[in-house]
Amino acid sequence: MIGLISATAAGAAARDRLAAAWPDRTRVYGGPVADAVRAAFAECDRLVCFLATGAVVRLVAPLLHGKADDPGVVCVDEAGRFAVSLLGGHGGGANELARAVGEVLGAEPVVTTATDAVGLPGLDTLGLPVEGDVAAVSRALLDGEAVALRAEVTWPLPPLPAGAEGAYTVRVTDRIVEPADGEAVLRPPTLVVGVGASKGAPVEEVLGLLEDVLREAGLSRACVAELATVDAKSDEPGLVEAARRLGVPLVTHPAEALARVVVPNPSDAPLAAVGTPSVAEAAALVGGGELLAPKRKSAGSPAMATCAVVRRPGRGRLAVVGLGPGARDLLTPRARDELRRASVLVGLDQYVDQIRDLLRPGTRVLESGLGAEEERARTAVEEARRGQAVALIGSGDAGVYAMASPALAEASDDIDVVGVPGVTAALAAGALLGAPLGHDHVSISLSDLHTPWEVIERRVRAAAEADLVVTFYNPRSRGRDWQLPKALAVLAGHRAPGTPVGVVRNASRVDESVRLTTLAALDPATVDMMTVVTVGNTATRQIAGRMVTPRGYRWQEETR
């Protein structure tokens, strides 16, 4: 919950705007300001104070306990110009909150955390538990000193400018280790703990067994990703409570699925009870991985719990990111986040140049020229299979005539794939033209590099007969100058010569151009590969210099 506190009418107005935008996330605290801050500090995860920073410093100073416990605090000035991350920038979420407040109120977020200021990922912002000499290693990264990265397990991390062996180390492991001086230890969630339990097994017996098995195997409890068991035990109180105390999900699997898993220690008892010869080992191994601790029974008499531990296979992450049509303000916030999360960026050289300044220091860039789409897709998937966090970029929306299709054709289920939508060329051009896509429409690429012309022509004819608005991608190049005239001739057989046609070149870029013409007047020689051509249907009209397709056909009937 986010506590909101204000002292003046101007502050209250901004406070109320934020409360209206986030009704389920915020709570307004009234009354004397000091009392409101004390109450919110004790009850909320984060605070937004519409007060001067000096006043907030004096109010919260007596309430501070420690970096791990204090809520994040953001201050917004009376004029609503700035949202200042004052306390708990990383751990308390104040940096993220300042940016979110800024988006709602139109305020400039002010973030002074050192790693954020220079574009480095904070070790405490990676979503992983971190131990050891975090402050010293972070300072070394900031100062450009040699920091070694020791990844004992595979996990997709954002770029860390780690180099050769030096006085400082970032260690990624699920083993129990005592961090050395100058060492920060990251704890990825690599461990799956399979558990079996008799009816009524006490939670203390389940947790005691789990702790013993992890300790004897030399594995960190902080790296447990889930407890896994058979469906029949999904509501067993001891297992449900054990997962709750560990802060991990209880994942269940059908008995028939577990029965198919080959395990080293099958047993007749679970086979008779729940229909599978193994619960603990099979539930841990069902998703694959390395069995680090085989099945073991608890010490109770009789034993009421079993436990086994598996290190699940490391999974890389591939984000297929649409950059939009080119203008920086049409690049989505989600796309920005993915670019900064990636340790490896793969893309066409001219697209890489568009967003190079957004990448974190240390990002490895793999760029290539036109015509290497399949090669880029294979490269991105291969890097993800090595456990990297990869961003594969394309213009517009990556799923529309871009990189998502070849990448997903290469990718199997051994990596995580995330699609990040972008503003397509058709949408960017449509916004400039007016509302040409107000009714049913279709996009067709006229490039026959990957699709035979006979197929393209058949699709154009179908769109013409169906009276769909048509947006042509890749309409004409130096080596392909005959396809557009042929496509227009097909449409002309079903539409009037005066049908509106929009021609947009370099939509949203500095040299963009927008023309509204007609099907009969369009000169294909004025079109190139940087152009999108949108041909209206029989209902499309020019109104006040704009191209408009009505949402229904009633208007078309009324204007005849």
Side-chain angles (χ1 to χ4, degrees), residues 351-371:
Y351 298 152
V352 171
D353 289 341
Q354 290 179 20
I355 47 82
R356 198 183 297 272
D357 62 302
L358 298 178
L359 304 178
R360 290 191 187 274
T363 304
R364 185 155 54 95
V365 177
L366 305 176
E367 53 188 310
S368 53
L370 287 168

Side-chain angles (χ1 to χ4, degrees), residues 318-322 373-378 380-381 392-395 397-412 417-420 450-451:
L318 173 61
V320 188
V321 181
E373 287 80 8
E374 286 80 7
E375 177 188 345
R376 284 195 292 276
R378 284 193 295 270
V381 171
L392 174 63
I393 60 173
S395 66
D397 182 283
V400 179
Y401 303 121
M403 295 306 301
S405 179
L408 269 61
E410 291 283 339
S412 50
V417 179
V418 178
V420 182
H450 301 287
T451 306

Side-chain angles (χ1 to χ4, degrees), residues 226-289:
E226 64 185 52
L227 297 190
T229 190
V230 66
D231 279 351
K233 297 295 180 178
S234 62
D235 57 355
E236 183 63 42
L239 299 186
V240 173
E241 177 62 15
R244 189 194 69 79
R245 292 190 191 180
L246 290 169
V248 300
L250 178 64
V251 178
T252 65
H253 303 279
E256 55 269 26
L258 298 186
R260 292 193 294 269
V261 179
V262 177
V263 299
N265 301 294
S267 172
D268 292 335
L271 180 60
V274 293
T276 172
S278 172
V279 173
E281 287 180 340
L285 283 166
V286 69

